[in-house]
């Protein structure tokens, strides 16, 4: 196996994927700090408002060699910046920093990563994908001006797939379809996912601008569609249905501060920045062309049951995979060319 | 993410899995050489008769720092041993060697890895799983006698899963069930797997002691069951069927040097060391308790079709996953406790 820039960048990309969508409205970003070939830190941005990937990685790298430093107790991004600026003492001089997205050049909820890197002066910063967000871009230029060697484009395709949800929601809308199934594709027969997978779905719901669901599911299952497993915010709901008549006494209509829309106009979905559609095969088949990502949560079981609809015929690319406990999560995109 | 012994051992384990079953009758083994935290080599044993994982990794590590060494052109395991013994010049002094299986202490088709390590004197050898094969074991003891620090048990559970097929076939029989399906579990409707996945199946067939298949598949599909995509050896075939009447004019009966057995006695399968069963859900359901591994090759498509049999209800542990081109390969074991 080749141990080269791609090897280290892949570690950064895989780490970032663990927090895909959970960083909303920020992008998922990973960062690896390497000193003479030794990976000192493999970190990611975990949640909006918390430290960026670079800051997490620079902190972890410093602590790897200075395990008793007071930095250990500091979690405020501004204070980490401050501590590292004052105490780095050339620590990063021989380091290469791999980052999946161009370090930000603007001060938002957290200070600018490009500014921090310019002060810490690693010998090289390797960037997978440039920042296309005008407000935050310019980081690479700032690094070059500080005499840091910069390269852009290592594993760019993989970094683009990682960045894709962010690109889409910055443009106005990112819609993903979530489905839970067994290894042999069955989705009926009671609860499929583990507790951990269900908590993950509630974590996603807590982030959403809109949760869309089919009318039949509402009528049959009467789901509450909240985020109670993580004590999260219940998202607004769009019931995708031609028939607009529903029993308004079911729980989903009684969540405080929740808007419920009943519509069969896909444009109503596209008005929201981050949308999850929860459904089965018939909704998936109907909406396949308006969905950016398909997220399949797969329980490692085989059970007899329902696994499709007539005429189902979709080709996918597998974009990434992870585990949630013993369940798998597979990120798919509909194939556009053959 | 923690960068510790487990991190490096996982690199070795994942690399070894790429050659799982392909090393038959040898075990799949991976090895990582690390110098002051820098991974110099991540290698595996690839095929019986070729270099062991340790030799591949020690060679790659040496070449990483000496890219123009004549070692580059040497592939014979005995000659690699010889070159490294003569030219290492203390190169491995500060290295830690991670290996998924205790280095062998005996000279077989290739020289003893323990002897080589004793000469190259890395500072530490970290072993995931001890060798239970009496003929080859004793390696750790030899290393200790050469004043090399040795530890055993890092990621032992994961290393056991990697070693499991080897343990089973050393005991007399390892049987795995192979099935190709779509993401939603359908197995009918013509060819499912990609060319690359089919070539992989033929590579497996070339290694087998026995290929077992259900009688209905033979009657309906009339498969040849050879290894023509890789110009390999066609395995002996056991047709698992209560009804012993078959049309002996179909191609599978006409392969030179092939034995064809027709039997419904599972003990006939267990007489062979490495057995693959190819089939669908009904055979899988029937034979679930005699199968050691289930290997699912999953094409990233969804199609309407057949995905099970009545009463199918099996819980699995996912042991490992890989890709074969754009298809996935998932290694499953039936769950034994809940």
């Amino acid at each position: 196996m080749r141990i080269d820039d791609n090897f280290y960048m892949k570690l950064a990309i895989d780490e970032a994927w663990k927090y895909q969508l959970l960083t909303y409205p920020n992008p998922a970003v990973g960062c690896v700090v390497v000193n003479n070939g030794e990976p000192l830190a493999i970190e990611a941005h975990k949640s909006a408002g918390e430290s960026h990937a670079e800051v997490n990685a620079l902190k972890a790298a410093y602590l790897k060699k200075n395990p008793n430093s007071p930095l250990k107790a500091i979690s405020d991004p501004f204070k980490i910046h401050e501590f590292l600026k004052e105490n780095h003492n050339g620590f990063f001089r021989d380091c290469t920093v791999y980052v999946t997205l161009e370090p930000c050049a603007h001060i938002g909820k957290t200070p600018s990563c490009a500014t921090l890197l310019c002060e810490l002066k690693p010998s090289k910063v390797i960037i997978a994908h440039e920042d296309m967000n005008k407000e935050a871009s310019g980081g690479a230029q700032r690094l070059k001006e500080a005499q840091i060697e910069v390269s852009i484009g290592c594993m760019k395709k993989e970094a683009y797939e990682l960045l894709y949800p962010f690109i889409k929601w910055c443009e106005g809308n990112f819609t993903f379809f979530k489905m839970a199934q067994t290894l042999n594709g069955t989705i009926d027969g009671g609860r499929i996912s583990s507790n951990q997978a269900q908590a993950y779905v509630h974590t996603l719901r807590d982030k959403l601008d809109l949760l869309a669901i089919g009318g039949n599911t509402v009528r049959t299952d009467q789901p509450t569609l909240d985020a109670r497993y993580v004590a999260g915010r219940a998202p607004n709901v769009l019931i995708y249905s031609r028939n607009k008549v529903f029993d308004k006494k079911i729980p989903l209509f009684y969540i405080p501060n929740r808007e419920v829309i009943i519509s069969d106009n896909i444009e109503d979905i596209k008005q929201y920045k981050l949308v999850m559609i929860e459904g089965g095969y018939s909704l998936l088949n109907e909406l396949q062309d308006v969905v950016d990502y398909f997220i399949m949560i797969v329980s490692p079981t085989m059970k007899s049951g329902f696994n499709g609809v007539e005429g189902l015929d979709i080709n996918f690319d597998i974009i990434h995979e992870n585990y949630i406990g013993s369940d798998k999560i597979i990120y798919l995109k509909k194939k556009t060319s053959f």
Side-chain angles (χ1 to χ4, degrees), chain A:
Chain A
M1 185 182 184
R2 287 178 72 90
I3 301 166
D4 53 11
D5 286 340
N6 284 5
F7 170 80
Y8 293 109
M9 189 62 86
K10 176 119 191 347
L11 294 173
I13 289 173
D14 285 349
E15 190 65 17
W17 267 102
K18 295 179 185 171
Y19 304 93
Q20 181 63 280
L21 304 180
L22 305 182
T23 59
Y24 177 73
N26 288 350
V29 181
C31 182
V32 170
V33 177
V34 175
N35 182 27
N36 292 318
E38 178 187 7
L40 296 182
I42 303 166
E43 298 294 335
H45 179 47
K46 294 179 183 171
S47 185
E50 294 182 16
S51 293
H52 285 186
E54 297 92 322
V55 176
N56 284 330
L58 292 164
K59 174 184 169 180
Y62 187 86
L63 285 173
K64 172 110 179 169
K65 296 295 179 185
N66 303 280
N68 299 318
S69 162
L71 176 59
K72 204 171 169 179
I74 305 177
S75 61
D76 177 84
F78 280 92
K79 288 188 177 145
I80 300 172
H81 276 242
E82 206 172 291
F83 182 95
L84 287 173
K85 280 183 191 178
E86 280 166 20
N87 297 281
H88 69 88
N89 201 14
F91 178 87
F92 297 97
R93 198 167 34 216
D94 298 323
C95 287
T96 300
V97 176
Y98 295 83
V99 58
T100 61
L101 178 65
E102 184 178 359
C104 67
H106 82 311
I107 300 172
K109 286 186 185 170
T110 66
S112 149
C113 293
T115 306
L116 179 60
L117 286 165
C118 288
E119 297 242 9
L120 303 186
K121 284 215 189 314
S123 65
K124 195 167 179 178
V125 175
I126 299 183
I127 297 165
H129 203 288
E130 69 274 19
D131 197 337
M132 296 175 304
N133 177 337
K134 285 212 173 63
E135 200 191 342
S137 70
Q141 187 55 35
R142 292 268 291 281
L143 297 173
K144 283 178 198 164
E145 284 161 13
Q147 317 299 327
I148 296 167
E149 191 184 337
V150 174
S151 91
I152 301 183
C154 169
M155 297 202 97
K156 184 167 180 172
K157 189 178 165 294
E158 291 80 358
Y160 173 79
E161 296 297 357
L162 172 66
L163 203 57
Y164 181 74
F166 173 74
I167 293 170
K168 294 292 286 184
W169 68 56
C170 285
E171 288 170 4
N173 169 261
F174 174 74
T175 299
F176 65 100
F177 193 101
K178 183 234 99 184
M179 194 165 77
Q181 63 160 62
T182 64
L183 280 169
N184 62 321
T186 52
I187 59 169
D188 53 348
R191 193 178 147 177
I192 293 166
S193 302
S194 65
N195 287 343
Q196 257 179 292
Q198 298 220 338
Y200 172 74
V201 171
H202 282 219
T203 306
L204 289 176
R205 284 183 184 165
D206 175 55
K207 307 276 179 195
L208 299 174
D209 295 309
L210 183 72
L211 171 59
I213 189 159
N216 286 339
T217 306
V218 172
R219 288 191 185 90
T220 313
D221 298 349
Q222 305 192 351
T224 309
L225 302 175
D226 61 9
R228 62 191 178 279
Y229 294 169
V230 296
R233 182 185 56 89
N236 292 332
V237 168
L238 183 144
I239 303 174
Y240 185 74
S241 177
R242 281 173 199 84
N243 175 352
K244 307 288 185 293
V245 180
F246 287 89
D247 173 6
K248 297 284 170 61
K249 295 203 187 78
I250 62 174
L252 82 80
F253 289 101
Y254 279 90
I255 304 278
N257 306 316
R258 158 182 282 173
E259 197 185 344
V260 180
I261 304 152
I262 302 171
S263 165
D264 61 348
N265 182 355
I266 209 70
E267 287 310 311
D268 289 341
I269 288 178
K270 295 288 179 184
Q271 302 307 311
Y272 293 82
K273 277 179 79 177
L274 180 60
V275 181
M276 171 160 77
I277 305 174
E278 297 193 49
Y281 287 105
S282 78
L283 196 61
L284 181 145
N285 205 30
E286 186 174 343
L287 299 183
Q288 57 176 285
D289 290 322
V290 300
V291 165
D292 297 304
Y293 260 27
F294 299 82
I295 296 187
M296 278 176 48
I297 298 175
V298 183
S299 160
T301 60
M302 288 188 185
K303 289 196 195 304
S304 46
F306 183 66
N307 80 317
V309 287
E310 213 183 297
L312 183 69
D313 188 1
I314 313 177
N315 291 287
F316 296 96
D317 285 316
I318 300 175
I319 303 301
H320 197 77
E321 298 181 84
N322 266 327
Y323 286 91
I324 308 169
S326 61
D327 285 10
K328 283 200 53 58
I329 175 165
I330 309 182
Y331 301 87
L332 304 162
K333 247 166 128 176
K334 195 180 165 183
K335 230 185 179 36
T336 46
S337 60
F338 298 98

